[in-house]
Amino acid sequence: MNPTRPQPLVTRIDLDAIAHNTRVLAAQAGPARLMCVVKADAYNHGVQRCVPVMDRNGADAFGVATFAEARQVAQLTDKPVLAWLWTPGEEIPAGIEVGVPSLAHLGMLIDAPATPTPTRVHLIVDTGMNRSGLDEDAWPEAFARAACAEEEGAIRVVGVMSHLACADDPGNPFTAEQLAAFARAQAQARAAGLDPRVNHIANSPALWTCPEAHCEQVRPGLSLYGDEPVPGQTHGLRPAMTWAARVVAVKPIARGESVSYGLTWQAPEDGYTALVPVGYADGVGRSWQDLFGATIGGQWYPQVGRVCMDQIVLWLGADGATGASPVRPGDEAVLFGDGGVSADKLAGAVGTINYEVLCAPKGRTVREYVGEGKEGRR
């Protein structure tokens, strides 16, 4: 593939933005360690290129969901890598730190064959989100068993971790309830004889809205990629992803004529349409029909008609192909990102969140990188 030839459909990742955001988060974390969450292939930005940039610009550790992700990230950094979504019976990669969400998981680690180096674990406690983690009535048994296993050299408890449910809603009283429960968990762990030194509960929104949640380590994800985790707030972040396609064709259409399957949309006047090669096989939701569009040459155009597997149609209006900013085949149509609407705005339009929008590009989308992500001043 010729890297200089424009691709029909790309996600363009700005590594300088990743570097900038990492430095901003490291500064916001203050004395707390910065664990960069790079699960789901760095939120669809690519761990191979993003992890080294974060490593150079302030990351102290990395967090992922699965062991497969952990193996990949561990090849890119010498810093700690934590994985927290696994089932008892899975082979635990050597050198990976492990989140422990239940007594069954803890028992598997304790009963596993001895290794030269004890497995480093983070005990996951449920503080009210009811998604994953040890329930409070199980804490005494879990902490006692972990302390015994640590004395026997089977595991090394690094810290206690949990997750906040409402940190993106500043002032929500449930956050204070969770932090109180998290403090109880740490106190009980110490009373059982453990020494959890790296405790963490703060996600991206809590990094900005809740300094008391920083503890010894923060665990942001979304903010690393430049999107705001708290609606209506700005923190000097730079969005790193742009999703764009090349216009395939520009066609005239008469008033009253329809486009795409089901003929669900009719042209309100004589004008032009543009065919763009992206569809639901590439991550555009079929349910997004008539709710989004793309920006071409600085002008936003609405999508019309059914979203197809491979393509969408944009309504250019009466002068879309003949006005001062004509649209032609080969022009770039930005679905979101640099030169177009933000991921936040697209998410709001189609009824989802910016996290899901960043994860949307897939299929035939080709990932491209700009910038070098070099280490900056801190």
Side-chain angles (χ1 to χ4, degrees), residues 248-268:
V248 170
V250 175
K251 290 170 58 68
I253 188 170
R255 177 183 178 184
E257 289 186 334
S258 300
V259 300
S260 198
Y261 294 113
L263 306 178
T264 59
W265 176 86
Q266 292 182 330

Side-chain angles (χ1 to χ4, degrees), residues 164-246:
L164 294 171
C166 302
D168 58 346
D169 180 15
N172 191 308
F174 192 66
T175 297
E177 293 179 27
Q178 286 196 266
L179 292 178
F182 193 52
R184 290 197 302 273
Q186 294 174 67
Q188 288 188 33
R190 293 188 177 97
L194 296 170
D195 184 22
R197 297 188 178 185
V198 185
N199 305 295
H200 46 109
I201 190 172
N203 51 9
S204 278
L207 180 62
W208 302 107
T209 66
C210 195
E212 61 270 30
H214 287 190
C215 301
E216 292 80 25
Q217 181 167 269
V218 296
R219 204 175 63 236
L222 183 71
S223 290
L224 289 162
Y225 310 102
D227 282 79
E228 290 292 344
V230 184
Q233 294 192 10
T234 57
H235 300 101
L237 303 174
R238 290 166 49 185
M241 179 184 289
T242 298
W243 194 16
R246 296 284 171 179

Side-chain angles (χ1 to χ4, degrees), residues 309-336:
M309 182 182 292
D310 316 304
Q311 53 204 286
I312 59 172
V313 176
L314 303 178
W315 167 240
L316 303 180
D319 61 351
T322 59
S325 299
V327 175
R328 297 186 177 90
D331 286 351
E332 185 170 81
V334 179
L335 283 83
F336 71 85

Side-chain angles (χ1 to χ4, degrees), residues 104-181:
H105 290 77
L106 180 60
M108 180 212 158
L109 290 172
I110 292 172
D111 296 337
T115 58
T117 303
T119 301
R120 294 170 61 85
V121 304
H122 299 239
L123 298 173
I124 306 174
V125 294
D126 189 343
T127 55
M129 192 170 176
N130 289 308
R131 187 178 67 172
S132 177
L134 294 151
D135 292 329
E136 189 159 359
D137 59 8
W139 294 353
E141 179 182 354
F143 297 152
R145 292 181 64 185
C148 288
E150 193 169 61
E151 288 183 5
E152 295 170 357
I155 62 173
R156 168 70 177 92
V157 176
V158 177
V160 177
M161 63 181 288
S162 190
H163 198 60
L164 294 171
C166 302
D168 58 346
D169 180 15
N172 191 308
F174 192 66
T175 297
E177 293 179 27
Q178 286 196 266
L179 292 178

